[in-house]
Amino acid sequence: MSLSPEFKPLVDFALGAGACRAAMLPAAKVVIDGSLADRCRAPGCPNYGLSINCPPHVPGPLELQKELETFHQALFFIIDVPAEMLFSGQRVKAFELLQKTAAAIERQAVQAGFARARAYAGGSCREIFCHAHGDCPPLLQKGECRYPQYARPSMSGFGIDVARLFETAGWTMRMAQPSPDTGATQMADICGLVLVD
């Protein structure tokens, strides 16, 4: 897939900001599947309802589907992490890096003239940034978000079909799976998406 010269600096920035791979995709190729968002509620994510960036406090799949029609491009990126990290106490650190990378790419896109750029990332911002606080101030109408510079909406909560993004980018998706100790490090992918005008 050829890269338009106007987007090359943004892809290069993503790679320099922590992404292991990054690609521009047509926004029309971003698939939204409401059943993926439903999984946040049942069987149930432990962070369901605890953040303004997660269901049921986000507009959800139907609204994102409409909004996608007003965007032309999307930057899809992944970060490679050891799979065992996602099954340990280091999981939050991996998703913190992901959220911060997504936010940095969004800011860079805005500075490059894509004023409506909007980032989505894996994980719940409450678990990642506010696990020690126990609440989400704006959700409880007690103040502003503690980490607006980093916290971005959950991809799951909007039904973004990550498997289809990998397919469109031409990449193989590596799922995090616990594995027996073979001495080799198993890698997994965590990912984010930034919509661009």
Side-chain angles (χ1 to χ4, degrees), residues 95-125:
F95 282 96
E96 180 180 343
L97 173 62
L98 176 66
Q99 290 256 337
K100 287 182 174 180
T101 301
I105 296 168
E106 177 189 271
R107 283 192 298 274
Q108 183 66 20
V110 170
Q111 290 173 11
F114 302 107
R116 295 189 310 125
R118 183 163 304 146
Y120 300 83
S124 164
C125 64

Side-chain angles (χ1 to χ4, degrees), residues 73-77 102 105-106 109 117-120 192-196:
Q73 295 286 317
L75 188 150
F76 177 50
F77 71 95
I105 296 168
E106 177 189 271
R118 183 163 304 146
Y120 300 83
L193 184 74
V194 182
L195 301 181
V196 182

Side-chain angles (χ1 to χ4, degrees), residues 21 36 39 76-81 86 95 122 155-156 160-177 186-192:
R21 280 182 278 174
L36 297 174
R39 294 179 191 173
F76 177 50
F77 71 95
I78 65 170
I79 297 176
D80 299 332
V81 296
L86 302 179
F95 282 96
M155 294 177 75
S156 300
I160 296 171
D161 191 330
V162 171
R164 294 289 290 275
L165 288 174
F166 272 87
E167 184 180 306
T168 301
W171 302 337
T172 299
M173 184 177 181
R174 294 175 300 176
M175 300 289 288
Q177 298 178 348
Q186 302 280 334
M187 300 300 287
D189 302 313
I190 54 176
C191 59

Side-chain angles (χ1 to χ4, degrees), residues 36-45 48 55-56:
L36 297 174
D38 290 342
R39 294 179 191 173
C40 295
R41 184 179 64 253
C45 170
Y48 180 80

Side-chain angles (χ1 to χ4, degrees), residues 13 16 19 22 25 52 55 63 67 71-72 86 89 117 152 154 172-173 182 184 186 193-194:
F13 176 86
L25 308 176
I52 56 166
E63 287 303 313
E67 194 168 4
F71 284 88
H72 301 295
L86 302 179
R152 293 300 178 266
S154 155
T172 299
M173 184 177 181
T182 61
Q186 302 280 334
L193 184 74
V194 182

Side-chain angles (χ1 to χ4, degrees), residues 40 45 47-59 123-126 139 152-154 157-158:
C40 295
C45 170
N47 294 294
Y48 180 80
L50 301 180
S51 159
I52 56 166
N53 284 324
C54 285
H57 309 296
V58 293
S124 164
C125 64
R126 182 191 174 277
L139 185 61
R152 293 300 178 266
S154 155
F158 283 87

Side-chain angles (χ1 to χ4, degrees), residues 8-50:
K8 186 178 187 308
L10 190 57
V11 169
D12 289 344
F13 176 86
L15 295 171
C20 298
R21 280 182 278 174
M24 296 303 303
L25 308 176
K29 295 282 188 180
V30 177
V31 175
I32 305 300
D33 181 347
S35 69
L36 297 174
D38 290 342
R39 294 179 191 173
C40 295
R41 184 179 64 253
C45 170
N47 294 294
Y48 180 80
L50 301 180

